[in-house]
Amino acid sequence: RIWLNLKDWQTDSDVVITNITTFPENERRKGYASVAIGKILSWAKQNNLPEVRATQVSSEENIRFWQRNGFTRCPEPNPCGDYIHRALNAP
């Protein structure tokens, strides 16, 4: 499961991914989450929502996941460790 907020008032991001439920260890690293994130990014771009944010990214494994999927760490101050993806044609 993935939880999303649209046009988040706290961050002013178009889409905010607040939670992702992970699979059991034997089902991880098979690309399922990257496919889901790719679909969210495509949907957001098609709907002119260029900024997608992932909140509360903390562990090294999570950081690598978001970076592999085109997200970069938000500038400081960034107390929640958020990562952001901006569509290439974003203003």
Side-chain angles (χ1 to χ4, degrees):
R1 292 185 184 165
I2 298 176
W3 285 266
L4 302 174
N5 288 334
L6 298 178
K7 200 55 178 170
D8 184 63
W9 65 272
Q10 291 176 312
T11 64
D12 201 35
S13 294
D14 297 309
V15 179
V16 178
I17 301 169
T18 59
N19 297 78
I20 294 183
T21 301
T22 57
F23 285 115
E25 190 64 38
N26 65 331
E27 289 296 317
R28 293 183 191 175
R29 289 175 279 289
K30 293 185 178 181
Y32 303 131
S34 291
V35 168
I37 296 302
K39 289 184 183 294
I40 291 168
L41 295 175
S42 292
W43 173 84
K45 186 174 180 180
Q46 290 169 1
N47 288 281
N48 297 314
L49 302 168
E51 187 175 289
V52 178
R53 178 182 295 251
T55 63
Q56 300 180 16
V57 177
S58 56
S59 74
E60 283 300 315
E61 184 178 12
N62 290 341
I63 290 169
R64 287 190 302 275
F65 168 80
W66 291 109
Q67 289 173 336
R68 276 194 313 270
N69 285 282
F71 287 71
T72 57
R73 185 171 169 83
C74 292
E76 298 299 335
N78 185 5
C80 294
D82 292 0
Y83 275 67
I84 197 159
H85 183 282
R86 287 189 178 92
L88 295 178
N89 61 351

